[in-house]
Amino acid sequence: MTNKRGFFLTLEGAEGVGKSTNIEFITQYLEQRGIDYVLTREPGGTQLGEKIRELLLAVHEESMSELTELLLVFAARAQHLDKIIEPALAAGKWVVCDRFTDATFAYQGAGRGLSMETIGELESMVQGELRPDLTLILDLDPEIGMQRASNRGELDRFEREQMSFFRHVRQGYLDIAQAEPERCTVIDAAKSLKDVKLDLLAALEQGLSKIT
Ligand SMILES: Nc1ncnc2c1ncn2[C@@H]1O[C@H](COP(=O)(O)OP(=O)(O)O)[C@@H](O)[C@H]1O
Ligand SMILES: [Mg+2]
C-alpha cells in the first residue's frame, strides 16, 4: 500500500488579522471530517524553534540586524521542517501552520526591504521543492489589525513597527497571492468573524476538492 503524502495548509496575514482565532475553527473542521492533522506555527513549532521565536519577538537592547532576523527565521524553519512538517506529511497527515515562508517574503522582503531573490535562494536551500499546498491569506487594513492586536497585551518587536511597515507587509502578501493564484486564496478579514469563517470554509472545501 502506498502511503499518501499529507496536505500542507498555511494561514498567513499580518498582526491581528485573526490567524490564531480562525486556525482553531479550521482544525475543528478537519476533526469533523476525520482528517489527521498536526497544528503548528512559525517561527517556532519545535523546542529549539520556539527559543528562536523568543529571540525574534523580544525587544533587545542591541538592535537585530535584518540579515540576522532573516537567518534566524530560516534556522527555525529548517528545524521545523526536519522535526515536524516533513515527518507529518510523510505519514500522510495534514500540517496546519500559522505562518510559513510567505511571511518571510512579506515581512523581511516587502516589510524590511531585503532582497526577494536572496529569500528565494534560502527558501530553496532550506525547503528544496516543498511548498504549501494551500495558503489562506487573511487580508486587513493594518490600522484595524494593530488595533485588534494591541488588545492582546504588550507589543512584540514586530508589532512595534511603524504603520508603513505593515502596509508593505500587507502589499507583500497581496503580491504573492497575485503571483500564485492557484495556491493562495485571499480572505477579507475585515468581515465579521462569522463571515470570515464562512469564507475560510469555502476556500478549504475548494482546496479539498482538488485532492479528493
Ligand atoms: N473578524 C474579526 N472581527 C473582529 N475581531 C476579530 C476578528 N478576527 C479576530 N478578531 C480578534 O482580533 C484579535 C486578534 O486576533 P488573532 O487571532 O490573535 O490575530 P493573529 O493571530 O492573526 O495576530 C483577537 O482579539 C480576536 O478575537
Ligand atoms: Mg496569532
Tab-separated table of all heavy atoms in Angstrom, residues 10-47:
chain	number	residue	atom	x	y	z
A	10	THR	N	-1.254	26.441	4.967
A	10	THR	CA	-0.706	27.550	5.767
A	10	THR	C	-1.706	28.695	5.842
A	10	THR	O	-2.484	28.930	4.916
A	10	THR	CB	0.639	28.060	5.204
A	10	THR	OG1	0.465	28.517	3.856
A	10	THR	CG2	1.701	26.977	5.224
A	11	LEU	N	-1.661	29.364	6.997
A	11	LEU	CA	-2.523	30.518	7.238
A	11	LEU	C	-1.608	31.727	7.385
A	11	LEU	O	-0.656	31.691	8.167
A	11	LEU	CB	-3.318	30.268	8.525
A	11	LEU	CG	-4.601	31.065	8.701
A	11	LEU	CD1	-5.546	30.819	7.542
A	11	LEU	CD2	-5.290	30.682	10.005
A	12	GLU	N	-1.896	32.759	6.612
A	12	GLU	CA	-0.991	33.914	6.591
A	12	GLU	C	-1.732	35.225	6.814
A	12	GLU	O	-2.958	35.286	6.709
A	12	GLU	CB	-0.269	33.971	5.227
A	12	GLU	CG	0.715	32.832	4.978
A	12	GLU	CD	2.055	33.033	5.688
A	12	GLU	OE1	2.237	34.055	6.387
A	12	GLU	OE2	2.921	32.150	5.547
A	13	GLY	N	-0.969	36.262	7.077
A	13	GLY	CA	-1.525	37.593	7.268
A	13	GLY	C	-0.769	38.316	8.363
A	13	GLY	O	-0.084	37.684	9.169
A	14	ALA	N	-0.905	39.626	8.388
A	14	ALA	CA	-0.153	40.444	9.344
A	14	ALA	C	-0.749	40.352	10.751
A	14	ALA	O	-1.611	39.505	11.021
A	14	ALA	CB	-0.096	41.883	8.840
A	15	GLU	N	-0.327	41.236	11.615
A	15	GLU	CA	-0.757	41.205	13.018
A	15	GLU	C	-2.268	41.434	13.127
A	15	GLU	O	-2.810	42.333	12.496
A	15	GLU	CB	-0.067	42.325	13.822
A	15	GLU	CG	1.393	42.559	13.515
A	15	GLU	CD	2.248	41.334	13.727
A	15	GLU	OE1	2.021	40.614	14.710
A	15	GLU	OE2	3.138	41.098	12.893
A	16	GLY	N	-2.926	40.636	13.971
A	16	GLY	CA	-4.318	40.894	14.317
A	16	GLY	C	-5.351	40.595	13.244
A	16	GLY	O	-6.517	40.953	13.383
A	17	VAL	N	-4.942	39.906	12.179
A	17	VAL	CA	-5.922	39.602	11.122
A	17	VAL	C	-6.862	38.466	11.526
A	17	VAL	O	-7.906	38.276	10.904
A	17	VAL	CB	-5.243	39.255	9.766
A	17	VAL	CG1	-4.456	40.439	9.225
A	17	VAL	CG2	-4.362	38.021	9.890
A	18	GLY	N	-6.455	37.689	12.543
A	18	GLY	CA	-7.318	36.602	13.015
A	18	GLY	C	-6.801	35.201	12.729
A	18	GLY	O	-7.579	34.244	12.728
A	19	LYS	N	-5.499	35.059	12.528
A	19	LYS	CA	-4.938	33.729	12.234
A	19	LYS	C	-5.178	32.760	13.405
A	19	LYS	O	-5.729	31.686	13.213
A	19	LYS	CB	-3.422	33.824	11.965
A	19	LYS	CG	-3.068	34.645	10.740
A	19	LYS	CD	-1.569	34.725	10.527
A	19	LYS	CE	-0.818	35.382	11.662
A	19	LYS	NZ	-1.201	36.786	11.946
A	20	SER	N	-4.749	33.162	14.597
A	20	SER	CA	-4.876	32.256	15.755
A	20	SER	C	-6.339	31.944	16.049
A	20	SER	O	-6.693	30.815	16.394
A	20	SER	CB	-4.210	32.862	16.991
A	20	SER	OG	-2.866	33.139	16.712
A	21	THR	N	-7.187	32.954	15.903
A	21	THR	CA	-8.624	32.776	16.165
A	21	THR	C	-9.215	31.755	15.193
A	21	THR	O	-9.975	30.876	15.600
A	21	THR	CB	-9.354	34.126	15.990
A	21	THR	OG1	-8.698	35.103	16.784
A	21	THR	CG2	-10.806	34.029	16.376
A	22	ASN	N	-8.861	31.861	13.921
A	22	ASN	CA	-9.508	31.030	12.904
A	22	ASN	C	-8.883	29.661	12.733
A	22	ASN	O	-9.523	28.746	12.210
A	22	ASN	CB	-9.505	31.771	11.566
A	22	ASN	CG	-10.533	32.882	11.557
A	22	ASN	OD1	-11.735	32.622	11.616
A	22	ASN	ND2	-10.066	34.120	11.549
A	23	ILE	N	-7.641	29.514	13.188
A	23	ILE	CA	-6.976	28.230	12.976
A	23	ILE	C	-7.683	27.135	13.788
A	23	ILE	O	-7.765	25.979	13.363
A	23	ILE	CB	-5.461	28.333	13.302
A	23	ILE	CG1	-4.666	27.498	12.292
A	23	ILE	CG2	-5.141	27.935	14.719
A	23	ILE	CD1	-3.237	27.912	12.150
A	24	GLU	N	-8.236	27.536	14.904
A	24	GLU	CA	-8.967	26.592	15.731
A	24	GLU	C	-10.212	26.086	14.997
A	24	GLU	O	-10.558	24.909	15.051
A	24	GLU	CB	-9.399	27.302	17.007
A	24	GLU	CG	-9.257	26.468	18.243
A	24	GLU	CD	-9.459	27.336	19.470
A	24	GLU	OE1	-8.553	28.144	19.770
A	24	GLU	OE2	-10.524	27.227	20.081
A	25	PHE	N	-10.843	27.005	14.311
A	25	PHE	CA	-12.023	26.665	13.516
A	25	PHE	C	-11.642	25.685	12.400
A	25	PHE	O	-12.370	24.727	12.117
A	25	PHE	CB	-12.612	27.962	12.946
A	25	PHE	CG	-13.648	27.758	11.901
A	25	PHE	CD1	-14.904	27.280	12.237
A	25	PHE	CD2	-13.372	28.034	10.569
A	25	PHE	CE1	-15.865	27.083	11.264
A	25	PHE	CE2	-14.327	27.842	9.591
A	25	PHE	CZ	-15.574	27.366	9.940
A	26	ILE	N	-10.488	25.920	11.805
A	26	ILE	CA	-10.020	25.046	10.721
A	26	ILE	C	-9.753	23.637	11.244
A	26	ILE	O	-10.153	22.647	10.626
A	26	ILE	CB	-8.741	25.639	10.071
A	26	ILE	CG1	-9.111	26.903	9.285
A	26	ILE	CG2	-8.059	24.611	9.166
A	26	ILE	CD1	-7.935	27.661	8.722
A	27	THR	N	-9.126	23.539	12.416
A	27	THR	CA	-8.822	22.204	12.941
A	27	THR	C	-10.104	21.480	13.374
A	27	THR	O	-10.201	20.263	13.243
A	27	THR	CB	-7.794	22.256	14.092
A	27	THR	OG1	-8.274	23.127	15.106
A	27	THR	CG2	-6.443	22.736	13.606
A	28	GLN	N	-11.091	22.246	13.837
A	28	GLN	CA	-12.381	21.620	14.175
A	28	GLN	C	-13.007	21.006	12.923
A	28	GLN	O	-13.549	19.902	12.947
A	28	GLN	CB	-13.351	22.656	14.734
A	28	GLN	CG	-13.159	22.931	16.217
A	28	GLN	CD	-13.923	24.165	16.669
A	28	GLN	OE1	-14.762	24.693	15.931
A	28	GLN	NE2	-13.622	24.638	17.855
A	29	TYR	N	-12.899	21.741	11.842
A	29	TYR	CA	-13.440	21.269	10.560
A	29	TYR	C	-12.738	19.968	10.139
A	29	TYR	O	-13.384	19.014	9.703
A	29	TYR	CB	-13.264	22.371	9.509
A	29	TYR	CG	-13.534	21.949	8.100
A	29	TYR	CD1	-14.842	21.894	7.608
A	29	TYR	CD2	-12.485	21.597	7.241
A	29	TYR	CE1	-15.090	21.501	6.299
A	29	TYR	CE2	-12.737	21.212	5.936
A	29	TYR	CZ	-14.033	21.156	5.472
A	29	TYR	OH	-14.277	20.766	4.191
A	30	LEU	N	-11.423	19.929	10.295
A	30	LEU	CA	-10.668	18.724	9.915
A	30	LEU	C	-11.074	17.546	10.808
A	30	LEU	O	-11.223	16.421	10.327
A	30	LEU	CB	-9.161	18.983	10.019
A	30	LEU	CG	-8.600	20.018	9.036
A	30	LEU	CD1	-7.100	20.208	9.255
A	30	LEU	CD2	-8.867	19.618	7.581
A	31	GLU	N	-11.256	17.837	12.098
A	31	GLU	CA	-11.667	16.767	13.021
A	31	GLU	C	-13.017	16.183	12.623
A	31	GLU	O	-13.203	14.966	12.618
A	31	GLU	CB	-11.726	17.303	14.457
A	31	GLU	CG	-10.383	17.168	15.152
A	31	GLU	CD	-10.283	17.982	16.431
A	31	GLU	OE1	-11.288	18.106	17.144
A	31	GLU	OE2	-9.178	18.502	16.694
A	32	GLN	N	-13.933	17.080	12.255
A	32	GLN	CA	-15.263	16.610	11.834
A	32	GLN	C	-15.170	15.690	10.627
A	32	GLN	O	-15.962	14.781	10.458
A	32	GLN	CB	-16.150	17.803	11.458
A	32	GLN	CG	-16.778	18.484	12.661
A	32	GLN	CD	-17.254	19.893	12.335
A	32	GLN	OE1	-17.368	20.269	11.159
A	32	GLN	NE2	-17.506	20.680	13.354
A	33	ARG	N	-14.178	15.946	9.788
A	33	ARG	CA	-14.025	15.118	8.591
A	33	ARG	C	-13.114	13.928	8.818
A	33	ARG	O	-12.784	13.207	7.874
A	33	ARG	CB	-13.502	15.969	7.438
A	33	ARG	CG	-14.471	17.085	7.083
A	33	ARG	CD	-14.130	17.726	5.781
A	33	ARG	NE	-14.044	16.772	4.694
A	33	ARG	CZ	-14.617	16.939	3.521
A	33	ARG	NH1	-15.378	17.985	3.295
A	33	ARG	NH2	-14.440	16.074	2.560
A	34	GLY	N	-12.681	13.752	10.072
A	34	GLY	CA	-11.823	12.609	10.405
A	34	GLY	C	-10.432	12.703	9.799
A	34	GLY	O	-9.788	11.682	9.535
A	35	ILE	N	-9.965	13.920	9.577
A	35	ILE	CA	-8.642	14.107	8.974
A	35	ILE	C	-7.602	14.270	10.081
A	35	ILE	O	-7.772	15.072	10.997
A	35	ILE	CB	-8.642	15.352	8.040
A	35	ILE	CG1	-9.549	15.094	6.833
A	35	ILE	CG2	-7.227	15.703	7.601
A	35	ILE	CD1	-9.801	16.316	5.962
A	36	ASP	N	-6.541	13.473	9.976
A	36	ASP	CA	-5.462	13.514	10.957
A	36	ASP	C	-4.549	14.700	10.630
A	36	ASP	O	-4.078	14.824	9.500
A	36	ASP	CB	-4.676	12.194	10.837
A	36	ASP	CG	-3.981	11.840	12.121
A	36	ASP	OD1	-4.107	12.594	13.105
A	36	ASP	OD2	-3.289	10.800	12.129
A	37	TYR	N	-4.318	15.551	11.623
A	37	TYR	CA	-3.530	16.758	11.335
A	37	TYR	C	-2.544	17.063	12.456
A	37	TYR	O	-2.668	16.571	13.571
A	37	TYR	CB	-4.457	17.970	11.141
A	37	TYR	CG	-5.178	18.363	12.412
A	37	TYR	CD1	-4.584	19.236	13.328
A	37	TYR	CD2	-6.424	17.817	12.727
A	37	TYR	CE1	-5.223	19.565	14.516
A	37	TYR	CE2	-7.058	18.148	13.907
A	37	TYR	CZ	-6.457	19.023	14.805
A	37	TYR	OH	-7.075	19.331	15.977
A	38	VAL	N	-1.584	17.914	12.111
A	38	VAL	CA	-0.671	18.476	13.104
A	38	VAL	C	-0.835	19.985	13.011
A	38	VAL	O	-0.772	20.556	11.922
A	38	VAL	CB	0.793	18.090	12.781
A	38	VAL	CG1	1.763	18.869	13.668
A	38	VAL	CG2	1.000	16.601	12.951
A	39	LEU	N	-1.073	20.614	14.168
A	39	LEU	CA	-1.218	22.065	14.208
A	39	LEU	C	0.090	22.669	14.712
A	39	LEU	O	0.598	22.270	15.756
A	39	LEU	CB	-2.368	22.447	15.146
A	39	LEU	CG	-2.554	23.934	15.442
A	39	LEU	CD1	-2.881	24.704	14.181
A	39	LEU	CD2	-3.656	24.140	16.482
A	40	THR	N	0.628	23.607	13.960
A	40	THR	CA	1.908	24.160	14.361
A	40	THR	C	2.030	25.617	13.906
A	40	THR	O	1.083	26.172	13.350
A	40	THR	CB	3.060	23.258	13.826
A	40	THR	OG1	4.292	23.723	14.343
A	40	THR	CG2	3.108	23.225	12.319
A	41	ARG	N	3.164	26.253	14.223
A	41	ARG	CA	3.275	27.667	13.880
A	41	ARG	C	4.720	28.051	13.592
A	41	ARG	O	5.657	27.349	13.986
A	41	ARG	CB	2.763	28.524	15.029
A	41	ARG	CG	3.641	28.461	16.277
A	41	ARG	CD	3.224	29.510	17.268
A	41	ARG	NE	4.038	29.497	18.474
A	41	ARG	CZ	3.827	30.305	19.508
A	41	ARG	NH1	2.835	31.156	19.476
A	41	ARG	NH2	4.612	30.269	20.567
A	42	GLU	N	4.852	29.204	12.934
A	42	GLU	CA	6.182	29.760	12.681
A	42	GLU	C	6.219	31.224	13.077
A	42	GLU	O	5.197	31.901	12.978
A	42	GLU	CB	6.536	29.615	11.199
A	42	GLU	CG	6.816	28.191	10.819
A	42	GLU	CD	7.899	28.053	9.748
A	42	GLU	OE1	8.230	29.064	9.089
A	42	GLU	OE2	8.402	26.953	9.580
A	43	PRO	N	7.394	31.761	13.431
A	43	PRO	CA	8.541	30.932	13.769
A	43	PRO	C	8.244	30.125	15.028
A	43	PRO	O	7.512	30.580	15.887
A	43	PRO	CB	9.667	31.950	14.021
A	43	PRO	CG	8.991	33.275	14.202
A	43	PRO	CD	7.643	33.193	13.586
A	44	GLY	N	8.798	28.921	15.068
A	44	GLY	CA	8.589	28.061	16.237
A	44	GLY	C	8.237	26.649	15.831
A	44	GLY	O	8.765	26.123	14.864
A	45	GLY	N	7.336	26.037	16.600
A	45	GLY	CA	6.844	24.707	16.263
A	45	GLY	C	7.643	23.566	16.861
A	45	GLY	O	7.145	22.458	16.978
A	46	THR	N	8.904	23.825	17.205
A	46	THR	CA	9.723	22.815	17.885
A	46	THR	C	10.318	23.497	19.118
A	46	THR	O	10.267	24.723	19.238
A	46	THR	CB	10.898	22.324	17.010
A	46	THR	OG1	11.845	23.394	16.881
A	46	THR	CG2	10.438	21.897	15.623
A	47	GLN	N	10.935	22.679	19.976
A	47	GLN	CA	11.550	23.253	21.181
A	47	GLN	C	12.587	24.324	20.827
A	47	GLN	O	12.551	25.445	21.338
A	47	GLN	CB	12.256	22.136	21.934
A	47	GLN	CG	11.683	21.872	23.291
A	47	GLN	CD	12.407	20.721	23.963
A	47	GLN	OE1	13.628	20.581	23.865
A	47	GLN	NE2	11.641	19.879	24.626
